[in-house]
Amino acid sequence: MAFTFAAFCYMLALLLTAALIFFAIWHIIAFDELKTDYKNPIDQCNTLNPLVLPEYLIHVFFCVMFLCATEWLTLGLNMPLLAYHVWRYMSRPVMSGPGLYDPTTIMNADILAYCQKEGWCKLAFYLLSFFYYLYGMIYVLVSS
Amino acid sequence: MSFYELGGSDIGMSAPGYPGFGSSVGHGVGSAPQGGVAAPLQAGPGQTYPTTYPAAGYYSNPPQSYPTMSNPCAPASSKAPVMNSQYHPSYYHNSHPHTAHSNAVPGHANYGGALVQAPPLQPYSTAAPPTSAAVHANQHSQPFQQHPGYLGAYYGPYTASQGPSHYPVVSYPSAAGGGQYNMQPSSQASLQQVSRGNGTLPASTSTTAPSSYGALPAGPSVAVNGQVNTVSLPALQRYDQNRPASAHPYTGVQSDAGGPASDRPPSLPPSTSVHSSPSHRQGVDSSSSGSSASPVPNNYDSLEGGSYPVPPATDSSKAAPPFGFGYPNLQPAYQQSPASRNDSTPSYSGFNPPGYQQFSQPFPTMSQLSAALGGIGGVSELEVEGLRPVNLLQERNILPPGPVPPPEPNLSTDLRKVNCSSDTFRCTLTNIPQTQALLNKAKLPLGLLLHPFRDLTQLPVITSNTIVRCRTCRTYINPFVSFLDQKRWKCNLCYRVNDVPDEFMYNPVTRSYGEPHKRPEVQNSTVEFIASSDYMLRPPQPAVYLFVLDVSHNAVETGYLNIFCQSLLENLDKLPGDTRTRVGFVTFDSTIHFYNLQDGLSQPQMLVVSDIDDVFIPTPDSLMVNLKESKELVKDLLNTLPAMFTHTRETHSALGPALQAAYKLMSPTGGRVSVFQTQLPTLGAGLLQSREDPNQRSSTKGVQHLGPATDFYKKLALDCSGQQIAVDLFLLSSQYSDLASLACMSKYSAGSIYYYPAFHRIHNLPLLGKFQKDLQRYLTRKIGFEAVMRIRCTKGLSIHTFHGNFFVRSTDLLSLANVNPDSGFAVQMSIDESLADTSLACFQAALLYTSSKGKRRIRVHTLCLPVVSQLSDVFAGADIQAITCLLANMAIDRAISSSLSDARDALVNAVVDSLTAYRNGVSGLQPAGLTAPAALRLFPLYVLALLKQKALRTGTSTRLDDRVFAMCEFKSQPLRHIMRMVHPDLFRVDNFSEQGALHLNNCVVPQPQLLQLTAEKLTREGAFLMDCGSVLYLWVGKSCSELFIRDVLGCPNHTSIPQNMTQIPDLDNPYSERMRTFLNWLQESRPFWPVLYVVKDDASAKISFFQHLVEDRTESAFSYYEFLLHIQQQMSK
């Protein structure tokens, strides 16, 4: 039993995923508020947009860590989300600042529904990966 | 489909509270001006006021503090004070940061308006001098000291209103109707209420009061909209007025607690007080922390009263009883002779069980209700006609002889009579399918086409203190509600049972009592209310107009400046507004020029700001000036402006900075910014590059750059929208100017967009004429400021997407900085829950705006449609024109977000899918041809026409700006205009016959037959008129009869017809006369004078004429017959 780099990666990923779970929950709440008319779309976009890149960067960061630790399976599991993030950010509306959400289109029912669904899916993904990292960490610690 | 995702927004939004709205950065009107009266009024605590207030006068001793005052009316008295102390001071304080302001601005109060309306009849307008009002305020400031907000908010308006009562009655086209409906009695009532409540008004005043029922609405005048129940107390007194006024108790001051007693039946006053605030408060207290905890909802949602912080369901039973209260005894009450006051005091403890009972009666079941509503008649002939299968491939002449009529909904005649005009409100399906599944099966879009601010010739205007609305969903009372009995009405949108306020029992039209169903609100589906201060976030803004003019070399070359200045000079007096109207001018090239027009200067003073990176306003006060005071200077400026820049060599254009300056100038007030731009902005923020590749203009692959290049203009528009500024864009450019980016400034600020490609004062005379006429209309048309529009619909339906120029504030609320009578909106709907419970679906659009005269008004349109469960009925009720317009809007969204070819495919698929659905689901047989129900027989034709529009066509050379402009028009024009654009009307005009002619005002308007848009219908021997909405083409065949050419055109023969003929001469012969009456008749149906082009057979202008012949084949598009075959082929796949 030894504390390897891979184990460190898993631990880090575990912590960061916990943070990502909070991001996802925040995201879901925010869109729910929009839907129930509690919030002004402009305000809501202003609060959501700065959070988009940090979330993506955190995810990229531990993907890179797994790459360095040559944890191929874990990396492979994260690739779809990584690809999705890249695609999502490439196809964002014309904006001068960072972020994804445009207050003029966000109230469109389709987009609202999409964003909500996205939030739930991500939450599910992060939760599953949280437990996977936990397992991975223990496995690495025990096996090495 | 994701339609279901939007579930229950109607219900959802009625959840309590609006936390967080107030903090909006760019959006709220800014915290200061937002501190309106509205917000508190809507929330629980606000309601305490009306009742506690009289209570104060009647029961309690003046020195008592407010919380205690409310005690008598609050059974749960222990709670009430807590609430009060906790809430009120801060609440009102915060939300009325400028009470002084509201005092100062004259005439903004509705009460004022109401009072003024009928001065001769009003004892008060004469008898109540400003001093008395002042007295009220003084007197009250004592006992109410801890609620400074109150005084400002409630008394302020009164005080103000009495002074500047010279405001004219807003005279709209509807003036006649308005006059009729303006309820003078009720307006008196409002004043009476004031005086009563205050208890300071001399008795003499009361004596003069007409002893009519009209006065009864007094109570609710201050009451919250919807807080209907507050009525009874003052109202009752009113009834008693028949008695000699000398007996009037109100002469006393507040401490005169015994005063009113003699006047009042026992037990009533308490019950009133009970019900109103405390009940609500209980609810708040006990169950929902939401509404009590929510911060001040000082935003437009709460203004228009989008949702009402409803106590949760559990609570409703608790809160409900009081609603029932007042009424059961009400009737006896005012029949009763007055009892002594002393009796009344204790009685509040035992409020009337009868009320309870009545209320707790089981509601009629849904089916009973539907029956009661009695909407549906039998299967009508229309229905059958709509379903008649038409074989499109064989039917050559599918156009009706005259204009295509909108389908009549299959309602009982009573409902049909009161239903909203199809020009204002149209639904794509006049039979609403019961479920989303049924809708999906029909493959037709469900949506509304709205033209809410249309110029109307007849519009009932209602000046009423209480605007009766459903307590839950805030729906305005309308012809489609059902009256369960005299005292209760059932909301047709959410099915809540509401009380009929007393004021509503009086009918101002017939001057009779007890006929709530005959009130104008219930007799007309389009009404306008004069709103009270509850509907204001700040005092209504004045009309403010800022003109931002491009004066670069390019602009001067086009010569538009001359025409603009001329036109504005001519119309300066016709600009909608009142004495507060303000104007300002900004010109720009590479620098920004401001004009100081302050009254007192000898001539306009030009101030140049060359620092375009950080624009500042040189003198904040004197740039936007009062038009009345500075009229001479404004005229002076307009006369000199064109000459000032004739020799300019500046070619750059700093549009972005100029707009930022305009924003800074306007943000304190809001208003309208009119931007005239002639080229691509090249300097400073918001500069744009040319993105168009001329070689790609006729590409069939796809069109790039339909979206904006930068979000600068969008952000600016959102900021503007937040400050109630609308930006209207006039683009007069001969080169590419990236309209896709520039248009954003108008799109999201609810402005309008005008585009004049290749505008030149000498080279393009027809366009010049059009510009002049558009300007004339633009400057003089009606305008509404700081508007919001909310669309409500029957529970189960929800709004999916909006189309038009606005900013969507929430799921059903549009924020419109300005609203103009020429803009239309489209709404896509989805069905969240089955509508099986109901037989009628209703839609209500409420537009709350400030008129140019500084009045807050609400225009309400209600549309009622039957619900059906059969697929065949859905098809039978399809409104093909509305469907086409909605599809066009959807296709344009698709083109921008995805690609043009996607959008085109989607359009074709819409036809294919719906016809397939019809074939499989309804007709049952498999005919060889291509059949469509008669209601949809024009569907393929219209879709083909859409595909050939500039906005959506491919293969034909189209400039990018032209295309984008066409898209903007589709999104923002009303249905009629879009339909004329898509499928122009073609008539033969050289052989008018008397057959079917209209006889109007002693002149005969010939009604030639509508021709199909194909060259086949044209003959060289004829002359044809094509009506494309804003353009008319008169095509004169080569061998057209000399008689026609001579008599109508005034030319000896065909060859002598001039190239650029744009007018029909006034000739004195029957031929010419008939032609001109026909043209006039066409013109009357639209708000502006269209441009007429006389097209000779051989002229180059004929290209634009022939491109409108949509049934013909072009090099890149199908002919109509080919298109049908294509559809048939797709269907058989």
Side-chain angles (χ1 to χ4, degrees):
Chain A
M1 180 152 168
F3 191 74
T4 60
F5 181 64
F8 171 73
C9 283
Y10 276 115
M11 283 174 76
L12 200 70
L14 208 58
L15 290 175
L16 291 177
T17 309
L20 288 181
I21 288 172
F22 281 110
F23 273 99
I25 292 174
W26 174 251
H27 181 99
I28 291 169
I29 293 174
F31 278 96
D32 195 65
E33 279 177 336
L34 262 188
K35 218 169 97 170
T36 46
D37 289 2
Y38 277 93
K39 282 276 176 77
N40 180 330
I42 296 180
D43 294 345
Q44 203 63 304
C45 289
N46 285 343
T47 53
L48 281 174
N49 276 333
L51 296 179
V52 173
L53 273 189
E55 183 197 333
Y56 289 6
L57 288 179
I58 289 174
H59 187 249
V60 168
F61 172 69
F62 64 72
C63 282
V64 171
M65 295 289 279
F66 284 127
L67 181 70
C68 299
T70 64
E71 289 289 325
W72 301 119
L73 178 67
T74 316
L75 189 64
L77 289 176
N78 272 302
M79 280 322 278
L81 185 64
L82 197 66
Y84 172 76
H85 280 167
V86 171
W87 170 81
R88 184 92 163 91
Y89 210 76
M90 300 291 276
S91 59
R92 71 182 193 139
V94 180
M95 287 171 79
S96 48
L100 287 175
Y101 308 108
D102 176 357
T104 57
T105 54
I106 195 88
M107 293 309 294
N108 182 313
D110 287 335
I111 294 178
L112 208 56
Y114 178 85
C115 290
Q116 260 187 325
K117 225 177 286 172
E118 183 193 29
W120 284 110
C121 291
K122 272 194 186 172
L123 182 63
F125 182 86
Y126 290 143
L127 274 176
L128 288 177
S129 47
F130 181 83
F131 290 110
Y132 171 76
Y133 298 147
L134 194 65
Y135 163 81
M137 183 182 74
I138 295 166
Y139 182 82
V140 170
L141 284 175
V142 170
S143 64
S144 55
Chain B
M1 289 296 263
S2 46
F3 284 166
Y4 297 97
E5 295 298 322
L6 206 80
S9 69
D10 234 24
I11 313 160
M13 49 158 243
S14 46
Y18 280 84
F21 256 130
S23 62
S24 82
V25 182
H27 209 75
V29 197
S31 59
Q34 273 202 2
V37 194
L41 281 176
Q42 299 239 341
Q47 298 147 13
T48 55
Y49 173 68
T51 36
T52 50
Y53 176 37
Y58 302 130
Y59 308 103
S60 55
N61 310 319
Q64 269 182 328
S65 70
Y66 183 60
T68 20
M69 278 191 234
S70 60
N71 270 350
C73 34
S77 55
S78 62
K79 276 176 182 171
V82 176
M83 288 298 296
N84 277 336
S85 52
Q86 202 181 32
Y87 230 80
H88 282 158
S90 62
Y91 209 92
Y92 288 96
H93 232 330
N94 292 343
S95 58
H96 306 291
H98 58 284
T99 41
H101 192 22
S102 67
N103 268 326
V105 177
H108 87 275
N110 279 359
Y111 303 112
L115 288 172
V116 174
Q117 299 243 340
L121 291 182
Q122 304 274 348
Y124 288 106
S125 52
T126 45
T131 47
S132 80
V135 171
H136 303 177
N138 285 341
Q139 294 235 346
H140 280 270
S141 56
Q142 244 186 346
F144 279 85
Q145 235 158 18
Q146 65 268 64
H147 311 294
Y150 264 19
L151 293 172
Y154 293 109
Y155 297 99
Y158 299 131
T159 341
S161 64
Q162 294 178 2
S165 56
H166 52 268
Y167 269 122
V169 178
V170 182
S171 60
Y172 283 111
S174 54
Q180 190 191 351
Y181 287 121
N182 279 343
M183 298 162 38
Q184 293 149 5
S186 65
S187 58
Q188 292 163 2
S190 81
L191 199 102
Q192 288 226 342
Q193 151 71 7
V194 177
S195 53
R196 294 278 173 79
N198 286 336
T200 52
L201 209 71
S204 62
T205 338
S206 344
T207 30
T208 40
S211 56
S212 74
Y213 287 121
L216 60 89
S221 65
V222 188
V224 189
N225 38 10
Q227 291 305 314
V228 183
N229 308 301
T230 51
V231 172
S232 12
L233 163 71
L236 281 170
Q237 298 153 12
R238 189 48 47 118
Y239 300 129
D240 293 335
Q241 268 195 359
N242 300 343
R243 297 169 323 98
S246 55
H248 235 285
Y250 304 111
T251 48
V253 204
Q254 288 165 337
S255 57
D256 175 19
S262 59
D263 231 4
R264 213 165 329 141
S267 90
L268 245 166
S271 75
T272 348
S273 5
V274 160
H275 94 266
S276 71
S277 49
S279 74
H280 207 75
R281 224 180 265 166
Q282 279 172 349
V284 170
D285 249 0
S286 57
S287 57
S288 82
S289 56
S291 67
S292 59
S294 70
V296 187
N298 51 352
N299 60 74
Y300 276 93
D301 289 31
S302 56
L303 243 199
E304 202 276 325
S307 59
Y308 185 81
V310 187
T314 50
D315 174 62
S316 69
S317 59
K318 234 196 220 171
F323 298 136
F325 273 176
Y327 292 112
N329 357 2
L330 185 65
Q331 197 72 35
Y334 60 79
Q335 288 162 358
Q336 273 168 13
S337 59
S340 87
R341 163 91 209 252
N342 303 339
D343 298 347
S344 69
T345 333
S347 65
Y348 65 82
S349 49
F351 11 90
N352 8 33
Y356 253 96
Q357 279 171 4
Q358 185 147 356
F359 195 82
S360 58
Q361 272 173 4
F363 294 125
T365 63
M366 277 307 179
S367 56
Q368 275 173 323
L369 275 171
S370 318
L373 288 170
I376 309 283
V379 177
S380 73
E381 289 168 27
L382 288 162
E383 200 94 320
V384 178
E385 166 59 23
L387 270 180
R388 178 175 58 86
V390 177
N391 191 339
L392 294 174
L393 286 170
Q394 282 167 11
E395 194 109 346
R396 299 276 304 164
N397 295 313
I398 52 166
L399 281 183
V404 181
E408 279 280 341
N410 182 18
L411 295 165
S412 68
T413 36
D414 285 352
L415 289 182
R416 204 181 287 175
K417 233 187 311 175
V418 292
N419 218 350
C420 200
S421 150
S422 62
D423 288 333
T424 306
F425 216 141
R426 247 166 115 163
C427 184
T428 55
L429 303 176
T430 54
N431 292 329
I432 305 288
Q434 214 168 56
T435 57
Q436 180 75 37
L438 184 60
L439 176 63
N440 291 344
K441 230 196 253 171
K443 303 275 184 193
L444 289 171
L446 175 61
L448 303 171
L449 276 293
L450 275 161
H451 190 183
F453 204 52
R454 200 163 70 90
D455 287 327
L456 293 166
T457 48
Q458 206 251 331
L459 170 70
V461 179
I462 295 164
T463 315
S464 170
N465 296 309
T466 328
I467 296 174
V468 183
R469 302 173 68 179
C470 172
R471 277 182 63 97
T472 306
C473 64
R474 312 300 295 141
T475 301
Y476 297 81
I477 197 164
N478 58 68
F480 311 107
V481 302
S482 47
F483 284 92
L484 301 184
D485 51 45
Q486 283 265 308
K487 302 287 163 202
R488 293 178 303 161
W489 62 278
K490 186 170 174 135
C491 175
N492 54 334
L493 266 58
C494 67
Y495 310 121
R496 184 192 204 282
V497 177
N498 293 276
D499 294 329
V500 178
D502 276 354
E503 181 187 357
F504 205 73
M505 301 295 278
Y506 173 75
N507 184 350
V509 183
T510 58
R511 297 191 169 269
S512 57
Y513 182 77
E515 292 179 329
H517 55 282
K518 298 230 172 110
R519 291 263 305 191
E521 293 97 318
V522 188
Q523 291 292 316
N524 297 282
S525 56
T526 295
V527 291
E528 188 153 290
F529 296 98
I530 309 279
S532 65
S533 50
D534 308 348
Y535 293 82
M536 297 168 198
L537 293 175
R538 54 173 185 177
Q541 66 163 80
V544 182
Y545 306 110
L546 177 65
F547 299 95
V548 179
L549 308 164
D550 183 358
V551 289
S552 61
H553 178 72
N554 195 28
V556 173
E557 266 304 287
T558 62
Y560 88 89
L561 208 55
N562 258 319
I563 295 156
F564 166 76
C565 291
Q566 210 53 46
S567 193
L568 186 56
L569 269 176
E570 284 164 19
N571 294 304
L572 210 52
D573 296 323
K574 295 186 208 151
L575 280 180
D578 53 14
T579 47
R580 297 185 298 162
T581 306
R582 294 159 76 184
V583 292
F585 296 87
V586 170
T587 56
F588 66 95
D589 39 35
S590 62
T591 55
I592 300 169
H593 324 129
F594 297 90
Y595 297 87
N596 184 346
L597 299 167
Q598 192 66 29
D599 190 23
L601 289 174
S602 59
Q603 60 174 38
Q605 195 179 20
M606 180 169 162
L607 304 159
V608 181
V609 172
S610 52
D611 182 8
I612 55 168
D613 293 326
D614 181 22
V615 191
F616 61 94
I617 307 295
T619 56
D621 308 328
S622 49
L623 299 178
M624 301 299 301
V625 293
N626 188 305
L627 180 59
K628 214 177 159 203
E629 286 163 13
S630 303
K631 189 168 267 175
E632 287 313 310
L633 279 175
V634 170
K635 282 184 176 165
D636 209 12
L637 175 67
L638 288 174
N639 282 320
T640 51
L641 201 57
M644 278 162 73
F645 297 97
T646 37
H647 302 297
T648 181
R649 300 208 169 277
E650 193 54 72
T651 54
H652 284 296
S653 157
L655 176 65
L659 286 171
Q660 285 171 331
Y663 170 70
K664 283 184 182 163
L665 265 181
M666 298 285 280
S667 49
T669 49
R672 181 174 79 185
V673 177
S674 315
V675 179
F676 293 77
Q677 169 74 6
T678 60
Q679 57 171 323
L680 209 60
T682 51
L683 274 184
L687 71 96
L688 298 167
Q689 258 97 40
S690 177
R691 294 190 293 166
E692 188 187 32
D693 177 3
N695 300 326
Q696 295 292 310
R697 278 183 190 161
S698 57
S699 131
T700 50
K701 280 193 204 104
V703 179
Q704 302 288 306
H705 308 308
L706 290 173
T710 160
D711 67 344
F712 172 82
Y713 295 98
K714 182 164 74 188
K715 277 181 159 171
L716 188 99
L718 292 180
D719 289 344
C720 284
S721 167
Q723 301 298 325
Q724 308 300 338
I725 305 164
V727 186
D728 292 340
L729 173 66
F730 288 80
L731 186 61
L732 309 117
S733 160
S734 46
Q735 281 149 20
Y736 176 74
S737 316
D738 202 348
L739 186 61
S741 302
L742 293 181
C744 287
M745 71 170 111
S746 301
K747 260 187 202 169
Y748 302 114
S749 67
S752 22
I753 302 161
Y754 296 84
Y755 178 48
Y756 305 89
F759 179 85
H760 198 278
R761 65 168 186 267
I762 297 161
H763 304 316
N764 200 339
L765 284 176
L767 208 58
L768 183 115
K770 184 168 159 47
F771 178 59
Q772 275 173 326
K773 280 160 186 160
D774 284 357
L775 258 186
Q776 154 94 16
R777 164 76 183 162
Y778 173 78
L779 292 172
T780 56
R781 72 185 177 189
K782 214 175 134 179
I783 183 168
F785 296 98
E786 41 184 10
V788 285
M789 181 163 78
R790 190 182 288 271
I791 298 170
R792 300 184 172 84
C793 38
T794 295
K795 204 165 117 186
L797 291 167
S798 70
I799 292 167
H800 186 268
T801 310
F802 290 100
H803 302 276
N805 289 354
F806 47 68
F807 173 61
V808 188
R809 277 294 299 279
S810 72
T811 42
D812 60 351
L813 185 78
L814 302 180
S815 149
L816 304 161
N818 283 4
V819 58
N820 68 68
D822 300 335
S823 60
F825 303 91
V827 184
Q828 263 171 273
M829 314 280 307
S830 58
I831 304 169
D832 291 336
E833 298 164 34
S834 166
L835 300 170
D837 289 343
T838 175
S839 60
L840 295 176
C842 291
F843 305 89
Q844 186 171 72
L847 178 74
L848 171 65
Y849 67 97
T850 302
S851 76
S852 50
K853 303 269 189 279
K855 281 251 181 68
R856 208 73 173 133
R857 288 173 161 241
I858 311 166
R859 189 173 288 189
V860 179
H861 305 283
T862 317
L863 177 75
C864 174
L865 296 171
V867 175
V868 297
S869 55
Q870 294 298 315
L871 188 59
S872 57
D873 293 336
V874 177
F875 279 113
D879 179 344
I880 189 56
Q881 293 198 323
I883 289 175
T884 309
C885 290
L886 187 63
L887 279 177
N889 274 308
M890 291 159 74
I892 283 157
D893 270 5
R894 179 72 73 86
I896 293 171
S897 66
S898 174
S899 75
L900 197 61
S901 53
D902 258 20
R904 290 170 56 89
D905 290 348
L907 277 177
V908 177
N909 286 338
V911 184
V912 172
D913 290 348
S914 63
L915 292 187
T916 313
Y918 170 75
R919 188 183 62 191
N920 298 341
V922 180
S923 68
L925 44 142
Q926 296 280 333
L930 179 67
T931 45
L936 290 181
R937 70 188 190 284
L938 295 174
F939 199 8
L941 177 61
Y942 283 160
V943 166
L944 179 67
L946 275 182
L947 293 176
K948 291 184 177 180
Q949 292 302 302
K950 270 186 188 164
L952 294 167
R953 71 188 179 190
T954 54
T956 313
S957 177
T958 313
R959 295 168 65 241
L960 191 53
D961 278 348
D962 284 349
R963 189 186 293 276
V964 172
F965 178 65
M967 291 183 166
C968 294
E969 281 215 300
F970 272 120
K971 295 219 80 171
S972 62
Q973 294 291 330
L975 181 136
R976 268 218 173 170
H977 192 89
I978 296 180
M979 280 323 294
R980 280 206 201 94
M981 246 162 43
V982 171
H983 193 272
D985 296 338
L986 182 68
F987 310 98
R988 182 163 182 172
V989 290
D990 64 325
N991 57 352
F992 283 137
S993 72
E994 294 292 316
Q995 203 186 352
L998 283 178
H999 296 264
L1000 297 168
N1001 311 333
N1002 305 329
C1003 60
V1004 179
V1005 184
Q1007 297 286 297
Q1009 205 198 349
L1010 213 54
L1011 299 176
Q1012 279 174 280
L1013 292 172
T1014 163
E1016 192 187 315
K1017 297 285 177 190
L1018 303 179
T1019 61
R1020 279 161 180 266
E1021 288 80 37
F1024 295 85
L1025 185 77
M1026 184 189 276
D1027 174 9
C1028 310
S1030 55
V1031 184
L1032 297 175
Y1033 296 99
L1034 179 61
W1035 184 82
V1036 184
K1038 224 175 195 150
S1039 22
C1040 183
S1041 74
E1042 298 272 313
L1043 187 71
F1044 177 82
I1045 294 174
R1046 197 185 61 228
D1047 282 1
V1048 175
L1049 300 176
C1051 301
N1053 54 40
H1054 186 264
T1055 42
S1056 60
I1057 300 173
Q1059 280 289 340
N1060 276 324
M1061 192 168 172
T1062 55
Q1063 253 176 339
I1064 300 273
D1066 255 350
L1067 298 177
D1068 190 22
N1069 62 62
Y1071 233 143
S1072 169
E1073 220 160 80
R1074 233 182 310 166
M1075 184 70 185
R1076 279 181 288 120
T1077 44
F1078 182 60
L1079 284 175
N1080 281 336
W1081 178 75
L1082 286 179
Q1083 189 270 325
E1084 270 166 23
S1085 63
R1086 67 207 79 196
F1088 45 86
W1089 195 279
V1091 182
L1092 176 79
Y1093 290 94
V1094 176
V1095 183
K1096 278 159 68 175
D1097 195 14
D1098 50 356
S1100 59
K1102 77 174 188 180
I1103 296 170
S1104 49
F1105 174 75
F1106 278 98
Q1107 74 180 7
H1108 285 109
L1109 297 176
V1110 292
E1111 289 191 31
D1112 289 340
R1113 190 160 189 271
T1114 66
E1115 66 241 54
S1116 56
F1118 290 130
S1119 73
Y1120 178 57
Y1121 191 75
E1122 285 169 330
F1123 186 64
L1124 289 180
L1125 289 177
H1126 175 72
I1127 289 173
Q1128 193 183 22
Q1129 192 188 353
Q1130 294 280 313
M1131 278 171 70
S1132 56
K1133 258 186 206 165

